[in-house]
Amino acid sequence: MRYYPIDQIKSGMILGQEIHDASGRMLIAKFTELSDENISYIAFLGVPGLYIDDQFTKDIEIKEVVRPEVRKSAIQIVQDIFIAAAGGTLPSEEAAIQQNVKDIVDNVLENEDVMYNLVEIKTYDDYTYFHSANVAILAGVLGAKAGLGEEELDDLVTAGFLHDIGKVFINPEIITAPRALTEEERIEMMDHPTLGHDFLMKNYDFPKRVTDAVYEHHEWHNGGGYPRRIKGQEISKLARILKIADVYDAMTSRRTYHEPYLPSDVVEYIMARSGMEFDPESVQIMANELSVYPVGVEVELSDGRHGIVIENHRGFVLRPTVKMLEGGETLNLLEDRAALNLTITRLLM
């Protein structure tokens, strides 16, 4: 499979993935031959790009940490959580959350050798649901690499599902504002960790680790965050991991106020702010585990040639293996002597 930006998708291309909405309803099936109507609809949904099945990349396998059906279930559960919370209760969702958390943690632990590679496809209108599910999964991956035990992983993934539940109680016009917020609006938005924490404490019996992580996921390592301006080790370990997952997914997503940033730019941003905004230990884990250049995406090398990333190497995420578009040869930027002086200069998404 090969990833194409939406403006490069052409009629007749074969879709390499399923596209679902936040209710789990399949919008377009995998291996559909795309029509102009399909492409217009996908663009309308705000999807920035798609994986396409073609001859050149037919041998490229994208290994997923979490099975597609588990990811799909996670998105559905998050939608149920937010809808129920808006009505004030979560009667049956707690059990559903626990089951899906178990499925995610089991998948993560079974696939510990798999890097987080996939460019996740999110529809624009359902951003909140896709975001919370993705944060839960990514936080679980980072937590496993940090050596958390299974109970801590369960709590971390649960906090990922619930971390933005407080936004249910914020004026939706502020949440979706396509502009910079006013100072008054910004202050209201900053209440969402407190509102979410208080809602969960009042209505449920989630472990303290979960509610602490929800409360603290916007705190900064240097004390410059909110709502309590705590710092360093005062911030719970789960919240420090959750913060990285939250920022990574938010920045790589299309929002009303910004286009998606490239994964490579977001990883660089997080690394640059290590010790200031982000916990250095968690940043180091991210730097080893997140694919700066996701599999299936086109890159430009320093000699001007282009290739498709086919494999990433743990701990050396700047040196993937690529399949060159001209000639089709495979070049391992980590091990091939001919590649020692080459770097990736551009990610094309």
Side-chain angles (χ1 to χ4, degrees):
M1 288 194 297
R2 176 178 174 184
Y3 182 86
Y4 285 86
I6 194 66
D7 60 1
Q8 294 181 20
I9 303 294
K10 307 296 182 187
S11 178
M13 286 183 169
I14 306 300
L15 186 62
Q17 62 190 120
E18 295 178 351
I19 299 179
H20 297 89
D21 64 14
S23 299
R25 180 169 56 100
M26 185 184 294
L27 302 177
I28 305 178
K30 187 176 181 179
F31 301 132
T32 296
E33 182 176 332
L34 295 173
S35 64
D36 289 334
E37 183 180 28
N38 293 145
I39 296 166
S40 295
Y41 179 54
I42 293 166
F44 171 75
L45 292 174
V47 174
L50 297 171
Y51 279 100
I52 296 296
D53 193 57
D54 63 15
Q55 280 298 111
F56 184 77
T57 58
K58 64 183 171 116
D59 296 328
I60 296 178
E61 179 185 2
I62 300 178
K63 297 179 181 178
E64 297 189 51
V65 177
V66 172
R67 296 193 310 275
E69 60 269 24
V70 173
R71 184 183 289 274
K72 174 182 168 184
S73 176
I75 296 166
Q76 288 178 261
I77 286 169
V78 171
Q79 184 183 46
D80 291 342
I81 292 168
F82 275 74
I83 291 172
T89 60
L90 280 173
S92 61
E93 282 71 17
E94 192 168 349
I97 291 169
Q98 290 171 349
Q99 181 56 55
N100 197 255
V101 164
K102 176 174 173 32
D103 290 341
I104 289 173
V105 171
D106 286 348
N107 278 204
V108 167
L109 294 177
E110 287 168 8
N111 296 293
E112 283 195 272
D113 61 333
V114 178
M115 293 183 68
Y116 193 86
N117 269 309
L118 190 69
V119 179
E120 182 59 29
I121 304 304
K122 293 162 267 197
T123 60
Y124 181 80
D125 286 341
D126 293 328
Y127 164 78
T128 296
Y129 310 136
F130 283 93
H131 171 67
S132 294
N134 289 339
V135 168
I137 292 168
L138 178 54
V141 171
L142 297 177
K145 303 306 179 183
L148 298 186
E150 195 162 338
E151 285 189 10
E152 282 186 295
L153 280 177
D154 288 350
D155 290 344
L156 177 58
V157 172
T158 302
F161 279 133
L162 299 170
H163 77 284
D164 272 346
I165 196 70
K167 288 184 178 179
V168 168
F169 310 108
I170 303 293
N171 183 342
E173 293 183 2
I174 294 176
I175 301 292
T176 59
R179 54 170 173 77
L181 298 181
T182 66
E183 182 62 17
E184 186 176 87
E185 291 171 333
R186 190 181 68 83
I187 290 171
E188 181 175 345
M189 176 67 90
M190 289 169 62
D191 278 341
H192 81 267
T194 303
L195 294 170
H197 169 267
D198 292 351
F199 171 75
L200 295 174
M201 291 290 291
K202 180 180 178 181
N203 292 281
Y204 303 100
D205 295 317
F206 289 111
K208 185 175 186 296
R209 281 192 299 237
V210 172
T211 53
D212 283 351
V214 170
Y215 198 17
E216 299 170 0
H217 75 276
H218 279 293
E219 300 288 0
W220 284 27
H221 184 73
N222 68 358
Y226 63 89
R228 293 187 294 156
R229 300 184 70 85
I230 57 178
K231 62 183 179 179
Q233 301 298 309
E234 296 171 345
I235 306 167
S236 71
K237 186 172 186 177
L238 301 196
R240 285 177 259 153
I241 296 171
L242 187 61
K243 178 173 178 58
I244 288 179
D246 180 36
V247 170
Y248 178 84
D249 189 76
M251 291 185 69
T252 55
S253 301
R254 175 173 287 165
R255 305 299 307 277
T256 54
Y257 46 85
H258 74 67
E259 289 297 302
Y261 294 97
L262 296 174
S264 53
D265 290 344
V266 177
V267 170
E268 186 173 341
Y269 169 86
I270 292 172
M271 292 177 68
R273 297 170 76 84
S274 175
M276 178 176 63
E277 183 175 354
F278 302 101
D279 168 55
E281 182 180 344
S282 301
V283 170
Q284 187 58 53
I285 294 166
M286 175 216 68
N288 287 334
E289 297 300 330
L290 279 189
S291 300
V292 177
Y293 305 113
V295 170
V297 172
E298 183 178 345
V299 294
E300 181 180 289
L301 301 182
S302 53
D303 62 1
R305 290 184 294 166
H306 287 208
I308 306 297
V309 176
I310 63 174
E311 184 182 5
N312 278 288
H313 308 291
R314 177 166 287 112
F316 299 93
V317 294
L318 297 176
R319 309 295 293 175
T321 296
V322 298
K323 183 177 182 180
M324 308 309 300
L325 287 176
E326 295 181 9
E329 73 271 23
T330 297
L331 189 62
N332 185 326
L333 297 179
L334 179 62
E335 297 179 354
D336 291 353
R337 293 180 62 83
L340 291 180
N341 294 323
L342 293 176
T343 59
I344 293 175
T345 57
R346 201 155 53 115
L347 178 62
L348 302 166
M349 288 181 64

